[in-house]
Amino acid sequence: MPAPNASRWQTLDTPFGAPLELRAGPYGLEAAFFLLDRRARRADRPNALTRKAARQLREYCAGRRKEFSLPLAPMAPDSPISGYRRAVWTELGRIPYGQTRTYAEVATRAGGSARSVGTANGRNPLCIITPCHRVVRKDGLGGYGGPLAPSRSMRMLKIKRSLLEHERRYA
């Protein structure tokens, strides 16, 4: 039997080209990331929080949810996440559903540079929930998914496009 504070996880199929794995620990939702390799999918070990997150994400996928109401471990007061990353991720949460902001616009609000916003975005462990997909370059889409191998980064850009189109459709 796992320890009461052990991480739990649940996988959720999405219409965006890959399933999401949700991971929860004692301080909240720790991660939501796309599984690009379906072979990496493991048997679910859910808890109440992963089930709640999965329900809210299914509502998002159906176009019925625009904001999430979940405890997020990286945003907990005693989280080891840097104050700057937390400021960037807070600004991501302020970007309205169906809209985008440039890296420079987020940097102005968070107090950094466009490059540092890109770095913080690339380290965001809670895709969709902390909507880093809404941040774009001033002259195009920008990146998505952090520093991945080229074949995976192209798949992630397709997912980013799909997320933005989804939100525009339901905005």
Side-chain angles (χ1 to χ4, degrees), residues 31-87:
F33 56 90
F34 286 103
L35 285 172
L36 298 182
D37 182 355
R38 292 184 186 272
R39 294 172 298 186
R41 192 169 184 161
R42 53 191 173 158
D44 286 350
R45 295 191 60 180
N47 65 11
L49 182 53
T50 64
R51 285 190 286 275
K52 181 178 180 179
R55 179 180 49 78
Q56 289 187 18
L57 282 157
R58 279 192 290 277
E59 292 167 355
Y60 171 88
C61 291
R64 295 189 315 266
R65 177 173 288 276
K66 295 178 171 52
E67 295 179 0
F68 296 91
S69 175
L70 300 162
L72 306 177
M75 301 304 271
D78 58 349
S79 168
I81 301 301
S82 76
Y84 179 69
R85 252 191 239 168
R86 194 180 305 220

Side-chain angles (χ1 to χ4, degrees), residues 14-17 34 60-61 63 65-66 92 95-103 105-106 121 127-145 155-171:
T14 75
F16 306 116
F34 286 103
Y60 171 88
C61 291
R65 177 173 288 276
K66 295 178 171 52
L92 300 181
I95 302 170
Y97 180 94
Q99 295 183 28
T100 59
R101 299 290 182 268
T102 66
Y103 291 95
E105 288 171 323
V106 174
N121 266 9
C127 68
I128 300 178
I129 296 163
T130 301
C132 55
H133 62 278
R134 295 180 189 155
V135 182
V136 297
R137 287 182 9 189
K138 64 182 173 188
D139 61 351
L141 198 58
Y144 192 58
R155 284 188 62 201
M156 289 303 294
L157 283 176
K158 286 181 183 178
I159 290 171
K160 181 175 183 170
R161 256 188 223 97
S162 182
L163 288 166
L164 292 173
E165 289 168 5
H166 170 80
E167 289 189 6
R168 284 188 199 111
R169 185 177 328 121
Y170 290 103

